[in-house]
Amino acid sequence: MRQDWIPLNCGENGVKNKWKVNCLDRHVQTCPERVALIWERDEPGTEVKITYRQLLELTCRLGNLLKRQGVRRGDCVTIYMPPCPLAVASMLACARIGAAHNVVFAGFSSEALADRIRDAQSSTVITVNQGVRGGKVVDLKRTVDQAVQNCPSVQQVLVAMRTENTVAMTDRDVPLEEEMMKEDVVCEPVAMDSEDVLFLLYTSGSTGKPKGLVHTQAGYLLYTSLTHRYVFNYHDGDVFGCVADIGWITGHSYIVYGPLCNGGTTVLFESTPVYPNPGRYWEMVERLGINQFYGAPTAIRLLLKYGDEWVQNYNRSSLKTLGSVGEPINTEAWEWYHRVVGDGRCPVVDTWWQTETGGICIAPRPSDPEAEIVPGMAMRPFYGIKPALLDTEGEVLSSNDSTGALCISQAWPGMARTIHNHHQRFTETYFHPYPGFFFTGDGAHRSKEGYYQIVGRLDDVINVSGHRLGTAELEDVVNQCPGVAESAAIGYSHDIKGEGVYVFVVLKKAVMVEEDVLAQQLREMVSRSIAKYACPDFIQVVRCLPKTRSGKIMRRVLRKVVERNTDELGDLSTLDDPDSVHEVISGHRRLC
Ligand code: WT7
């Protein structure tokens, strides 16, 4: 390993700022004209390439603009933008001036955005006038306008122009391109401690509001760059195509920080897997010469339904590694990805990790290139990761061929350090369930051979198309509906989305409402409060929910009903009102 590549914390007297320039300056010194970003815009064939020199310039101008606008070291800037070079430059500009960024996925509603801005106490928001996705224009600035109405901390909104359409600007709004062009292309990076905050990223938990996980400077960068290089077998000159959104941790770690720290060329995908047709990914692979493709099982499952031709129409000989992330990949999807997309010659790396872990923790690679990869298995812990499986008593399961709660037994560089403003929630969520271990919230199986397979969440978190959704968060919204007394949201297996959402609703006494009308109302509320992906697929009105005598909703029972496993309801003797279960079963919708 090259010495100069390790983030060096040089301290006050060390080589000036050397370690903070890892993603840009040092590559500009050695290869300024290398392409850093390929912005794969919505319309195929209209990609824009940005070199390291250009990205450093954009970042410096933006850094200077942020400083001129009063952003200081330690502040937190919220970024609400689709994948585009200015979004990356905004993240890096924050890092450069010592501010934290808080990127919010641009599919979140204004209320969800407002929650995150308020919790982060941002005075500055960066957005675009409009987004463009799947041929449609999305009014992102309008969403920001609605959000900031309820965010007293916000003093200014920087607006970049993704489309040529003008949008209403207020006194608070700053035209981003116009103002940044007035700035100098040199912006000295600020010296930060290795444990200072790099960014916040909100994610759903099983209780309460989404939590702002905090990642720090040196450990995060080291971990993302190492995993990017070794899990995907990334080499200088490769084109890395991660098709996630920058609003998720996958985008932070494997579109922005990992690849850029490694001096790589990284793709920013603005479109959808089916625009303008289901061949989009593979046409893009051919056109851009992508070497590593990193995507989500939900998209693979969707595409395989359209047939092999959409893949075979394009030349995929550039591909070397195929990655999967976000949810378990079923064998059928894995096989198709391997056989059809990769022509049977590219290793498929199913990578398990979380917002909390910062980077990949379990994956088939690195390992001997000839080492076996079992379909649908994340397989091997990354260097420095010590997984442990624990049983319900909190005992470590030391033998192979066992299943338990997936924990990690020692710290690693990329792990989140806290939840913004809620350190107690951090320790309670991750360190109290199994004292001495970091608890991931997932269950896992360790095979006879010692390989890991992720089973799924053990807590009340649903994974919809790779997006995390807390049942409590959803129920909170549903319960705000005037006719609703209480509700329970349950995940069920869905052949494209991985999990779908099924909501049981108890109406207030004397409320009469058509189920269709109620369903429509609830869907609107959920997309307004959270995001479209969180909308329930099924809503069932019930007289009461099965509860224990102490008043806890028996989710286990509801889950069985939804999965139509009513023969295996288990012990119902602790139920307060056993009849409630039969009623729930008889009213249960057939899932398609
Ligand atoms: C949860 C984390 C990791 C970045 C994207 C999601 C599930 C993630 C896998 C996988 C099975 C997976 C887990 C995890 N998950 N990758 N390869 N196999 N499950 O990040 O939103 O923080 O979600 O996604 O349940 O806990 P996230």
Side-chain angles (χ1 to χ4, degrees), residues 215-238:
H215 282 285
T216 51
Q217 307 268 327
Y220 172 81
L221 196 59
L222 170 72
Y223 198 72
T224 52
S225 55
L226 272 178
T227 47
H228 171 251
R229 191 173 285 255
Y230 293 119
V231 171
F232 298 100
N233 193 18
Y234 185 85
H235 289 276
D236 266 5
D238 285 349

Side-chain angles (χ1 to χ4, degrees), residues 202-204 213 248-251 254 294 297 324-329 349-357 359-360 362 376-378 440-443 453-459 461 463 466-469:
Y202 284 81
T203 192
S204 298
L213 286 160
W248 310 111
I249 191 70
T250 310
Y254 300 107
Y294 194 26
S324 169
V325 63
E327 44 169 331
I329 179 162
V349 292
D350 174 13
T351 61
W352 175 87
W353 57 295
Q354 317 177 289
T355 306
E356 292 84 344
T357 67
I360 294 163
I362 308 183
M377 266 203 174
T440 65
D442 281 312
Q453 175 160 36
I454 310 306
V455 178
R457 298 291 305 195
L458 297 177
D459 53 7
V461 170
N463 190 327
H467 304 327
R468 250 158 92 159
L469 179 64

Side-chain angles (χ1 to χ4, degrees), residues 107-126:
F108 274 122
S109 68
S110 61
E111 285 180 29
L113 172 62
D115 276 345
R116 287 156 176 76
I117 294 174
R118 275 195 301 265
D119 192 77
Q121 281 297 301
S122 290
S123 58
T124 303
V125 177
I126 310 181

